[in-house]
Amino acid sequence: MNQETRRMTVEDMAALNNERRLQLNEENRKYYEEMLVYLRMSPVEQRKVEELLLEMLDHLLIAQREGRTAQDVFGDDPESYCKEVIQTLGRQRLFHFPRFAFIFSTVLYVGFLSDALFRLTVYPLLNHFYGVPVPEGFKADWFVMAALGPLWIEGMMFFMRKSTFKGMGAKIGWFLLLPVISVGGFLLWQYIFKDAVPMLPIPAWMSLAIGAALWSIHRLVFKGVFKHVDIF
């Protein structure tokens, strides 16, 4: 990797990859993009992954000009190749503070804004037509969901990795399994802890204000202060 590329941001490298990838023929592009998805969804520092993907793409483009295929370059088992690469790069810890802070704050401001939206618009309609009571506060289980957010992201990445290098039927199966498990886990949580999680007695307009404030802080921190920090 040349010095110019090393000075690029992760977003710049991804954009460059998108541009160069168009030079691949259909067969090589399909092979390479499966590896791209697998590596990007792996627990490896994002910058290392993007640098490696560009290197792999450069090698493949050279090979293509020489009349060779991606299979000639990377072998018959791309999944095993990717697993070896991940071991070489080193796995990232599950608790990576910038990532945890990003996910936690995102889930939290979404939670407050969603709470305000539902209590100001949806629940009044349900109450009017069906007699559904309007909640009197903010459910504190949003804090738990925010804290568990990194685990959910890790699970999503795991399912996406499992769907690569598979046929269309297997891909659809893996993609359907994730929402089923997510919804099932949420419903189970609600069933077990529905009376144990406290309700914060704040009005809907305050949820809206808190959500907007958290969104502003989140944007300031991760678009400004931590702009050049790798989150994933």
Side-chain angles (χ1 to χ4, degrees):
M1 189 67 59
N2 57 49
Q3 292 298 319
E4 181 182 359
T5 306
R6 288 189 181 279
R7 289 194 295 268
M8 297 173 67
T9 65
V10 171
E11 291 76 13
D12 290 337
M13 285 189 283
L16 181 61
N17 191 304
N18 292 338
E19 180 182 338
R20 289 184 179 175
R21 206 160 67 242
L22 297 176
Q23 301 175 40
L24 294 173
N25 60 41
E26 183 177 355
E27 178 186 356
N28 286 339
R29 184 164 61 249
K30 181 179 179 181
Y31 186 108
Y32 175 81
E33 287 179 348
E34 289 284 312
M35 293 196 300
L36 179 145
V37 172
Y38 191 96
L39 290 173
R40 282 183 175 171
M41 293 298 107
S42 299
V44 178
E45 184 181 336
Q46 193 176 11
R47 184 172 191 85
K48 291 181 179 179
V49 169
E50 293 302 329
E51 288 177 350
L52 176 66
L53 286 171
L54 280 176
E55 288 183 2
M56 293 168 60
L57 181 56
D58 287 341
H59 290 314
L60 182 54
L61 287 171
I62 293 173
Q64 181 175 276
R65 288 194 290 269
E66 296 173 349
R68 294 184 290 146
T69 67
Q71 193 170 355
D72 295 329
V73 177
F74 302 112
D76 299 328
D77 190 352
E79 184 173 3
S80 295
Y81 179 90
C82 289
K83 288 180 179 179
E84 291 178 6
V85 166
I86 292 170
Q87 289 181 347
T88 302
L89 294 177
R91 289 175 173 268
Q92 193 176 53
R93 293 173 302 166
L94 178 61
F95 183 82
H96 177 56
F97 181 75
R99 176 174 60 178
F100 177 84
F102 181 87
I103 297 172
F104 183 88
S105 59
T106 299
V107 174
L108 211 53
Y109 80 68
V110 168
F112 275 103
L113 292 177
S114 299
D115 173 69
L117 174 66
F118 273 79
R119 283 200 283 157
L120 290 172
T121 59
V122 178
Y123 277 114
L125 291 174
L126 293 176
N127 178 264
H128 178 75
F129 290 105
Y130 302 105
V132 177
V134 179
E136 298 180 356
F138 178 81
K139 286 293 293 289
D141 53 3
W142 274 102
F143 290 96
V144 179
M145 287 189 284
L148 295 178
L151 286 177
W152 188 87
I153 295 294
E154 185 66 26
M156 181 183 69
M157 294 169 68
F158 170 80
F159 280 102
M160 293 191 70
R161 287 199 305 274
K162 285 296 183 180
S163 70
T164 55
F165 311 117
K166 303 291 191 300
M168 185 55 65
K171 288 180 184 292
I172 294 174
W174 279 107
F175 275 113
L176 290 177
L177 189 58
L178 177 60
V180 168
I181 292 177
S182 299
V183 173
F186 176 77
L187 293 177
L188 182 63
W189 169 272
Q190 292 295 318
Y191 177 77
I192 296 175
F193 298 104
K194 63 178 181 179
D195 297 323
V197 179
M199 181 87 72
L200 302 182
I202 59 176
W205 66 264
M206 187 175 292
S207 278
L208 180 62
I210 293 173
L214 289 174
W215 174 81
S216 299
I217 295 171
H218 175 91
R219 185 174 178 81
L220 174 65
V221 170
F222 291 101
K223 293 292 185 181
V225 180
F226 289 160
K227 181 178 181 180
H228 300 294
V229 175
D230 291 330
I231 304 300
F232 293 96

